């Protein structure tokens, strides 16, 4: 502060100063945390509205750069066949950095960087001084060229298995402190939950498609089979018959649906025997018999059941 006044009759300027370093640091910390909160909020909103994995990855990286003011963000997924971490989305100042990154989980040298360690350990890995951190040696020169001064890697887990990593870069040395790391851990967890949900949905859809496919195959087999087939419920009542059944016994579906099969085609003198067979099938046993059965017109036919 500068003020003017008189001192012993002479006009002077009085200057005062006080140390506000800590206040400025606190203000910068609050500013950074606010950016992280915005990133967390906006990515969670994206998770709600986006249900396609690659699109969510792209949006998460964009939000990290645009709203979080990170210099660069990229998301990598593990290809377990090649043991490489493949960049699937990125935003910010990239140039050829990701083209040359070559993170190989099977390599002693190229698996020990922040991303490799985060994936292998299942916990975040922070480098707050890239230039002086040995874990960044293979990537240090390219990082310096792009003014990456600190970085953080957060593992993404699907059903307990680490499948990828969310990587963030800052132009400030010492950018990532306990507050930012805690929020970014929460962010990685939210993305992981979203990936699990997408995986469950994919599995459910695949299962539904397989059920429909099996149903269609069964219906084709059922309808086109030259062998008489009848579907029964757990009370041995007719649910459906195929054309071969109609041709053999002379009944149409509407005539027999909901009736006990033994009451329709079993001659009276064979009812007791037929009931014992029904008891066996209800118990889960498979039977193979040859016996007489009755057609609609009353004539008997000798069949293998």
């Amino acid at each position: 502060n500068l003020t003017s006044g008189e001192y012993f009759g002479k006009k002077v300027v009085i200057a005062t100063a006080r140390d506000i370093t800590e206040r400025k640091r606190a203000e910068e910390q609050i500013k950074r945390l606010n950016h992280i909160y915005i990133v967390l909020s906006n990515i969670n909103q994206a998770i709600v509205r986006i249900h396609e994995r690659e699109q969510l990855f792209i949006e998460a990286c964009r939000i990290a750069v645009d709203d979080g003011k990170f210099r660069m963000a990229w998301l990598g997924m593990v290809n377990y066949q090649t043991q490489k971490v493949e960049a699937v989305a990125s935003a910010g100042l990239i140039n050829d950095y990701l083209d040359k990154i070559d993170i190989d989980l099977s390599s002693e040298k190229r698996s020990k960087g922040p991303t490799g360690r985060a994936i292998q350990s299942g916990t975040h890995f922070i480098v707050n001084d890239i230039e002086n951190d040995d874990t960044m040696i293979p990537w240090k020169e390219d990082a310096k060229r792009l003014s990456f001064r600190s970085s953080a890697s957060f593992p993404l887990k699907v059903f307990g298995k680490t499948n990828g990593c969310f990587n963030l870069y800052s132009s400030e040395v010492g950018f990532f402190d306990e507050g930012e790391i805690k929020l970014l851990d929460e962010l990685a967890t939210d993305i992981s939950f979203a990936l699990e949900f997408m995986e469950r949905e994919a599995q459910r859809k695949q299962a539904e498609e397989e059920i429909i496919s099996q149903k269609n195959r069964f219906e084709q087999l059922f309808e086109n089979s030259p062998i008489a087939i009848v579907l029964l419920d757990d009370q041995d009542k007719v649910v459906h018959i195929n054309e071969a059944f109609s041709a053999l016994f002379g009944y149409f579906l509407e005539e027999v649906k909901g009736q006990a099969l033994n009451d329709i085609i079993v001659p009276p003198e064979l009812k007791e025997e037929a009931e014992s067979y029904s008891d066996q099938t209800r118990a889960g046993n498979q039977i193979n018999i040859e016996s007489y059965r009755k057609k609609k017109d009353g004539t008997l036919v000798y069949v293998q059941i």
Side-chain angles (χ1 to χ4, degrees):
N1 293 320
L2 297 176
T3 59
S4 62
E6 291 188 0
Y7 185 69
F8 290 109
K10 293 183 179 180
K11 193 171 183 178
V12 296
V13 175
I14 302 172
T16 63
R18 59 194 172 108
D19 189 347
I20 60 170
T21 302
E22 291 304 317
R23 191 186 78 186
K24 294 299 292 183
R25 286 175 180 170
E27 289 174 353
E28 288 299 317
Q29 170 69 0
I30 291 171
K31 185 177 179 181
R32 291 202 302 266
L33 284 175
N34 283 338
H35 285 314
I36 303 298
Y37 274 118
I38 292 171
V39 169
L40 182 61
S41 175
N42 288 350
I43 289 182
N44 279 331
Q45 290 180 43
I47 287 171
V48 171
R49 72 174 188 273
I50 297 174
H51 303 290
E52 199 274 324
R53 195 181 75 159
E54 282 68 29
Q55 187 180 350
L56 176 62
F57 291 165
I58 292 169
E59 185 67 359
C61 292
R62 184 198 65 78
I63 290 170
V65 171
D66 291 351
D67 300 329
K69 308 306 177 185
F70 289 102
R71 192 161 181 81
M72 196 264 279
W74 70 279
L75 200 149
M77 299 299 287
V78 180
N79 182 331
Y80 281 101
Q81 290 184 328
T82 63
Q83 289 295 299
K84 297 288 188 74
V85 180
E86 299 175 350
V88 295
S90 60
L93 186 63
I94 302 165
N95 289 1
D96 60 349
Y97 186 81
L98 295 180
D99 296 332
K100 299 161 62 177
I101 200 164
D102 188 25
I103 299 171
D104 187 344
L105 300 180
S106 63
S107 166
E108 180 66 25
K109 180 180 179 181
R110 304 196 74 86
S111 66
K112 301 306 181 184
T115 301
R117 289 180 183 237
I119 290 172
Q120 291 169 335
S121 68
T123 189
H124 62 251
F125 194 88
I126 310 300
V127 176
N128 263 324
D129 186 358
I130 288 176
E131 186 171 2
N132 297 301
D133 195 305
D134 290 344
T135 63
M136 284 291 293
I137 287 175
W139 307 279
K140 186 177 296 185
E141 292 306 314
D142 288 325
K144 286 171 60 179
R145 178 168 50 86
L146 297 172
S147 297
F148 299 157
R149 300 291 180 250
S150 56
S151 71
S153 300
F154 298 87
L156 302 177
K157 301 178 182 179
V158 179
F159 304 124
K161 181 179 181 180
T162 303
N163 285 352
C165 199
F166 193 31
N167 303 281
L168 301 167
Y169 296 77
S170 171
S171 58
E172 299 178 29
V173 173
F175 179 87
F176 298 96
D177 66 12
E178 185 177 351
E180 281 95 8
I181 294 168
K182 183 177 180 180
L183 290 175
L184 292 169
D185 271 334
E186 182 180 340
L187 173 60
T189 299
D190 291 344
I191 295 175
S192 296
F193 281 142
L195 295 180
E196 287 187 2
F197 175 80
M198 292 177 186
E199 182 66 23
R200 287 193 187 98
E201 283 297 292
Q203 291 173 358
R204 182 189 61 78
K205 185 177 180 181
Q206 183 178 1
E208 287 180 351
E209 291 174 350
E210 180 61 26
I211 288 171
I212 292 172
S213 177
Q214 290 179 1
K215 181 175 180 290
N216 291 338
R217 290 197 298 269
F218 174 78
E219 288 178 348
Q220 291 178 6
L221 174 64
F222 180 86
E223 297 298 342
N224 299 324
S225 174
I227 299 172
I229 303 176
V230 56
L231 299 183
L232 306 174
D233 63 16
D234 57 2
Q235 300 299 316
D236 285 340
K237 292 183 179 180
V238 176
V239 175
H240 198 35
I241 60 175
N242 67 351
E243 291 185 6
F245 185 95
S246 294
L248 179 58
F249 291 103
Y251 291 101
F252 293 105
L253 178 60
E254 56 270 19
E255 297 178 280
V256 297
K257 188 173 184 179
Q259 298 187 52
L261 181 65
N262 289 346
D263 293 342
I264 301 169
I265 64 171
V266 177
E269 65 273 16
L270 297 177
K271 277 287 184 69
E272 186 175 343
E273 178 187 86
E275 288 297 336
S276 71
Y277 295 142
S278 296
D279 291 340
Q280 291 182 51
T281 58
R282 276 194 292 268
N285 299 320
Q286 183 175 346
I287 63 168
N288 190 340
I289 62 171
E290 294 180 358
S291 184
Y292 285 102
R293 290 297 181 263
K294 181 179 62 174
K295 295 185 178 184
K296 181 179 178 181
D297 62 8
T299 60
L300 298 179
V301 58
Y302 198 69
V303 297
Q304 182 186 47
I305 303 175

